[in-house]
Amino acid sequence: AGVGKSRLVDEFAAGLDGAATVARGRCLPYGEGITFWPLAEVVRDLPEPVAAQVADDPKADTIEQVVSEAVGAGGPRGATNEKIFWASRRVLEAAARRRPLVVLLDDLQWAEPTFLDLVEHVADLARDAPMVLLCMARPELLDARPGWGGGKLHAASIHLDALGHEDTRELVANLLTQGTLPEETADRLAKACEGNPLYAEELLSMLIDDGRLRREGDTWAIGGDGGRMPVPPTIQALLAARLEQLPDDERALLARLAVAGSSFHRDTARELAPVSLEHVVDRCLTGLVRRDLIRPDRTAPHDEDAYRFRHILIRDAAYESLTKETRAELHERFADWIEQTGGEWLTETEEILGYHLEQAHRYVAEVGPPADGARDLATRAAERLTSAGRRALARGDTGAAVGLLERAAALAAGDEARRAALLPELGAALIETGRLERAEEVLGGAGAAAEAAADERSAAHTGVQRQFLRILRGESAGSAETETVVDQALPVFARAEDEQGMSAALRLRAWGHWLAGRAEAATAAWEDAVEHASRAEAEHERIETLLWIASAMFFGPATASEGIRRCEAIRAEVDGNLPAVADVLQPLAGLHAMQGRFAEARELLAASEAAFEDLGLTLSSAISHQAAMVELLAGDPVAAERKLRRGYDALQEMGDRSFLSTTAALLGQAVLAQGRAAEADELAATSAELGGADDLSTQILWRWLRARVLAGRGELAPAEKLAREAVVLAERTDFSNQRADALAALGGVLAKRGCRGDAQDAVAGALALFDRKGNTVAAERLRAELALPASL
């Protein structure tokens, strides 16, 4: 801090001399979860509104809506992080095409991980637009993003060391204008500063303010006490000493302004000023600007006069001078003022509002025993943080959501009713982030709180999330256990008219059916869940559920023609949600491929993959099993392997087991079709090792794959055993193609063993399933492989 990052960047921006648009945003050092605050500042700093910037874009309306939602101006509509990233990039690209663009982002060490992902997204994917993202941060940023230190494409980093002695001397001499500095004095000052420019500026200001450093004619000299110079040991101590020397009214106002954060408005100053200073606020602000402690802030979101502390450390020193009682009073007063004046920006500032109420409660609790006022502050803070956490969940920003909901839960300590309502949501967010042990701990607390509060609705929410967790951890006893949990929860949610709870319970029911290989039953549950999610205005859950229905159309018993109709309907329903459209194109392509329309299928896949690439979601397209199945159906196992290999390698790196087990089996099919039986056998073994016992699909896939490998090596007895196991397991599912594949594999093994009648029965069963599904390609290929007549 104080090494000169912001000053260097300011000089760069000034040196552009109008040749580029400069837009600034800064990350706030207080209050977790304020993910897109810097984006809001950047957008407001552009020369034209978002709508004007993207007027020529065919998706202008969607872009404007998503960015407005992200910065808090458009109300929550369920945009995901991926969609926000895409829309934000399109705005910046559009602005840069009109005029070269420099985006200055300060204090990224305080950024939420999601905002850092946004910066990477723009840096990696922005095209055909002259743009520089100039980011300032302290070195601890590299703990979170080590790749930013070097080796990243389209990026370079500059590490600012402390100034050397000679450079510090030059800086000191340049700061002391209108006079020369004796060499001995310059050396003493430079040594004291230890190469920190901020320290140099503040030390000189303090020495001048207290008269120790003064100009005598054309020369600056250190006077008083034999020329001895006081040197505070740290920059923080130096700033505190300097602030002590301010006039009483300026010092009092500056300290109170620190409560508002690094930037504030003139009206904020009037609101936080003590009664004794009400009539001199403007004069004090002018004095503080003259002393260069605060500066006008041109990036403010409103039209009124705005200021910012020249450096965050000045703000911190001013804040530290306040007593805890005063901090508590001012944080509460500031929160009240935000509530009264927030207007259309209140949603955007909800995290900040929650932070100030949280701080007020903290200091009230520290200076005295809890009272009604403290409990009221805790309740208000928890409400705001909970609301902000739910908004973060809705857009998929689970990291921010967890932080916000955990803070809300801490504020609700002792309030079992509030904890009972809040903790299941926190548990769900933790599950989504993969923090399963912490989720188990939180849900345990949720169950205890619900019991203490006699809250059956919260108990039902907790039960649903606990069962989701058990399934993910492989601890579930099966679909019967899941069904029991759902049957207990649904009447509770119905009585409470809790539409979101109904949706969650039905999605749990669907997931239980899906794992058991019952696609039709899962689809029915998902269809019901969509209705309840719509009534709850839970857009994120509604869209996600629709996409599962689309997958069920591909894997389940619905005919290919029926599946195409349903996927097209879902495609129309999610139109405007780019990641969702890209997702639904994958099963739609697979259904067309079953009917031999490979050109159309590949066009759909290309559109899907282009959208994923544009959104920066290459992994989503990489692990698409439907895309690989299109190529297998088309008779191009090389292309199928290429699609699967990318996802397989990525999943290995991530440490995933669930998707990797299925991907391994499918990759084994692709390499076996190319004659690499040994490699296919290894992949079958990997799939068997990783596949969960209740993952019926994977258990079927690896068995019939290995049966074919063994049959090819002449090991017919073990091949038949595995093939029969696959068929028995497949009979429990209505995944039509998997059932048919298992029967076809058994028929092939039996034919090699000379069991002609049994082989024909197995093949006939496979053909009936393929024909019923409308998978004409697979049916015709099986007939050709076994030289069967078209009538069979």
Side-chain angles (χ1 to χ4, degrees):
V3 77
K5 300 180 294 294
S6 298
R7 177 58 181 271
L8 184 62
V9 168
D10 287 344
E11 290 294 329
F12 165 73
L16 294 171
D17 196 24
T21 297
V22 178
R24 299 170 183 259
R26 70 171 64 85
C27 303
L28 301 180
Y30 52 86
E32 297 173 3
I34 313 174
T35 302
F36 294 113
W37 181 270
L39 174 64
E41 292 192 322
V42 167
V43 168
R44 287 192 292 263
D45 217 15
L46 294 174
E48 293 182 295
V50 170
Q53 296 286 352
V54 298
D56 297 333
D57 194 300
K59 297 187 178 295
D61 290 343
T62 299
I63 294 169
E64 182 187 11
Q65 175 185 315
V66 171
V67 173
S68 295
E69 178 184 338
V71 302
R77 295 189 183 93
T80 61
N81 283 339
E82 293 84 4
K83 199 171 178 182
I84 290 170
F85 292 1
W86 167 82
S88 302
R89 174 168 56 80
R90 295 290 274 264
V91 170
L92 297 179
E93 286 174 334
R97 290 189 188 106
R98 290 167 178 255
R99 192 175 185 221
L101 176 65
V102 176
V103 179
L104 305 181
L105 299 171
D106 204 354
D107 287 321
L108 253 68
Q109 73 275 1
W110 291 319
E112 287 289 329
T114 297
F115 186 74
L116 296 179
D117 291 341
L118 169 59
V119 175
E120 285 198 327
H121 173 92
V122 176
D124 290 341
L125 298 176
R127 307 179 186 93
D128 306 324
M131 185 194 317
V132 170
L133 304 178
L134 189 51
C135 305
M136 292 157 276
R138 299 178 193 173
E140 52 262 37
L141 172 67
L142 297 182
D143 294 337
R145 287 292 193 275
W148 287 24
K152 184 174 178 58
L153 290 176
H154 311 131
S157 59
I158 302 172
H159 180 78
L160 298 188
D161 290 313
L163 296 176
H165 182 74
E166 291 303 318
D167 287 331
T168 307
R169 278 185 48 143
E170 184 177 357
L171 171 65
V172 169
N174 289 339
L175 290 170
L176 294 173
T177 57
Q178 300 179 339
T180 59
L181 192 63
E183 188 171 328
E184 181 184 356
T185 304
D187 276 334
R188 293 171 65 189
L189 289 169
K191 184 177 179 181
C193 296
E194 297 185 341
N196 187 294
L198 177 65
Y199 195 107
E201 289 182 310
E202 295 303 323
L203 178 60
L204 294 176
S205 296
M206 185 186 76
L207 293 174
I208 292 171
D209 286 348
D210 69 6
R212 289 183 179 274
L213 181 63
R214 58 182 180 269
R215 189 159 55 87
E216 298 174 351
D218 293 332
T219 304
W220 288 92
I222 296 177
D225 196 16
R228 189 170 62 85
M229 181 175 61
V231 180
T234 65
I235 183 65
Q236 289 81 4
L238 169 61
L239 291 169
R242 187 185 173 201
L243 297 185
E244 279 296 317
Q245 295 176 354
L246 292 174
D248 291 345
D249 52 0
E250 292 182 17
R251 183 175 69 251
L253 181 63
L254 190 71
R256 287 168 169 259
L257 291 172
V259 170
S262 57
S263 60
F264 55 89
H265 302 280
R266 190 181 296 271
D267 283 352
T268 309
R270 293 180 178 132
E271 177 65 27
L272 295 178
V275 175
S276 60
L277 298 182
E278 283 181 350
H279 302 297
V280 295
V281 167
D282 288 349
R283 177 177 61 77
C284 289
L285 289 173
T286 301
L288 293 169
V289 170
R290 179 173 53 81
R291 299 177 195 279
D292 202 23
L293 293 167
I294 63 174
R295 292 175 175 174
D297 184 4
R298 69 181 185 84
T299 65
H302 306 297
D303 293 332
E304 58 196 291
D305 292 336
Y307 300 87
R308 62 182 174 88
F309 282 86
R310 181 169 67 81
H311 198 282
I312 191 63
L313 293 182
I314 298 174
R315 179 262 171 193
D316 292 347
Y319 186 80
E320 289 299 321
S321 69
L322 294 170
T323 64
K324 291 182 178 180
E325 291 90 341
T326 304
R327 293 180 196 177
E329 182 238 325
L330 291 174
H331 278 295
E332 182 177 8
R333 187 196 298 183
F334 189 50
D336 292 341
W337 182 74
I338 293 175
E339 283 187 317
Q340 294 164 13
T341 62
E344 65 173 317
W345 296 100
L346 190 56
T347 301
E348 177 195 81
T349 57
E350 200 161 31
E351 296 95 330
I352 297 176
L353 181 57
Y355 164 78
H356 286 289
L357 291 167
E358 181 184 37
Q359 293 302 301
H361 170 263
R362 168 191 167 189
Y363 289 118
V364 165
E366 286 182 2
V367 299
D372 290 341
R375 283 190 289 272
D376 179 61
L377 285 169
T379 298
R380 291 174 63 196
E383 287 174 350
R384 291 296 182 179
L385 294 173
T386 299
S387 176
R390 287 169 178 162
R391 280 182 23 249
L393 273 179
R395 65 174 183 263
D397 190 358
T398 50
V402 166
L404 291 161
L405 294 175
E406 283 190 322
R407 288 161 59 198
L411 287 161
D415 184 347
E416 293 304 301
R418 182 174 294 279
R419 281 170 51 80
L422 173 61
L423 290 178
E425 292 184 84
L426 175 56
L430 288 163
I431 290 171
E432 195 165 345
T433 59
R435 295 170 57 187
L436 303 187
E437 289 187 9
R438 173 65 178 146
E440 184 174 25
E441 178 185 340
V442 165
L443 291 173
E451 184 177 356
D455 185 343
E456 67 169 2
R457 178 183 171 192
S458 295
H461 275 289
T462 302
V464 167
Q465 295 305 325
R466 273 179 159 170
Q467 188 61 19
F468 270 123
L469 181 60
R470 283 177 58 77
I471 289 173
L472 284 172
R473 299 183 70 163
E475 299 170 353
S476 172
S479 58
E481 178 185 286
T482 297
E483 197 65 22
T484 299
V485 173
V486 174
D487 287 342
Q488 292 172 347
L490 283 176
V492 175
F493 294 141
R495 285 193 295 272
E497 297 182 347
D498 184 344
E499 298 289 352
Q500 192 148 10
M502 295 285 287
S503 177
L506 289 165
R507 282 185 287 117
L508 175 62
R509 168 175 283 168
W511 191 240
H513 288 318
W514 186 255
L515 288 176
R518 297 192 294 268
E520 193 168 33
T523 300
W526 276 322
E527 295 278 12
D528 289 343
V530 165
E531 292 299 320
H532 290 287
S534 297
R535 292 177 200 150
E537 297 183 350
E539 185 67 2
H540 179 68
E541 289 85 349
R542 187 183 78 87
I543 295 294
E544 181 183 345
T545 306
L546 284 170
L547 297 178
W548 275 109
I549 293 172
S551 285
M553 293 299 103
F554 177 83
F555 289 102
T559 67
S561 298
E562 178 188 348
I564 288 170
R565 287 194 297 273
R566 186 69 180 100
C567 285
E568 287 289 5
I570 292 171
R571 181 184 184 180
E573 198 167 346
V574 301
D575 186 41
N577 187 313
L578 301 175
V581 171
D583 260 317
V584 79
L585 292 180
Q586 302 267 332
L588 182 57
L591 290 162
H592 279 290
M594 288 180 197
Q595 299 192 327
R597 292 187 291 273
F598 296 115
E600 187 169 352
R602 284 170 171 151
E603 284 180 11
L604 291 167
L605 288 178
S608 173
E609 289 168 2
F612 278 130
E613 184 179 353
D614 192 34
L615 290 160
L617 300 179
T618 54
L619 181 59
S620 296
S621 59
I623 64 172
S624 171
H625 297 157
Q626 289 112 326
M629 290 177 186
V630 166
E631 299 300 345
L632 288 172
L633 284 168
D636 191 348
V638 174
E641 179 184 1
R642 187 166 56 247
K643 290 181 181 297
L644 289 163
R645 183 72 66 182
R646 183 173 49 165
Y648 182 80
D649 293 342
L651 290 166
Q652 274 192 315
E653 186 176 339
M654 290 167 56
D656 174 273
R657 294 178 65 90
S658 177
F659 280 110
L660 185 62
S661 63
T662 308
T663 304
L666 291 172
L667 183 57
Q669 292 181 43
V671 300
L672 182 61
Q674 298 173 63
R676 287 146 51 196
E679 188 176 350
D681 198 19
E682 290 176 5
L683 287 163
T686 298
S687 179
E689 180 186 351
L690 298 177
D694 58 351
D695 185 352
L696 197 59
S697 180
T698 297
Q699 294 299 332
I700 296 167
L701 284 170
W702 76 258
R703 280 178 168 83
W704 74 251
L705 171 63
R706 186 137 204 275
R708 284 187 164 170
V709 171
L710 292 173
R713 294 203 303 241
E715 299 177 36
L716 298 179
E720 181 181 347
K721 179 177 182 297
L722 282 173
R724 290 192 180 280
E725 287 178 5
V727 168
V728 169
L729 289 172
E731 287 174 351
R732 293 160 48 188
T733 180
D734 60 5
F735 283 26
S736 299
N737 289 315
Q738 284 195 8
R739 291 181 64 194
D741 284 336
L743 284 167
L746 176 60
V749 173
L750 291 173
K752 288 189 175 184
R753 297 203 76 180
C755 305
R756 190 170 182 80
D758 289 344
Q760 287 182 343
D761 289 343
V763 170
L767 289 170
L769 286 165
F770 282 139
D771 289 337
R772 196 178 308 145
K773 177 68 180 177
N775 191 344
T776 57
V777 172
E780 289 170 2
R781 180 172 300 148
L782 181 56
R783 289 186 176 97
E785 285 177 0
L786 300 177
L788 297 174
S791 60
L792 183 59

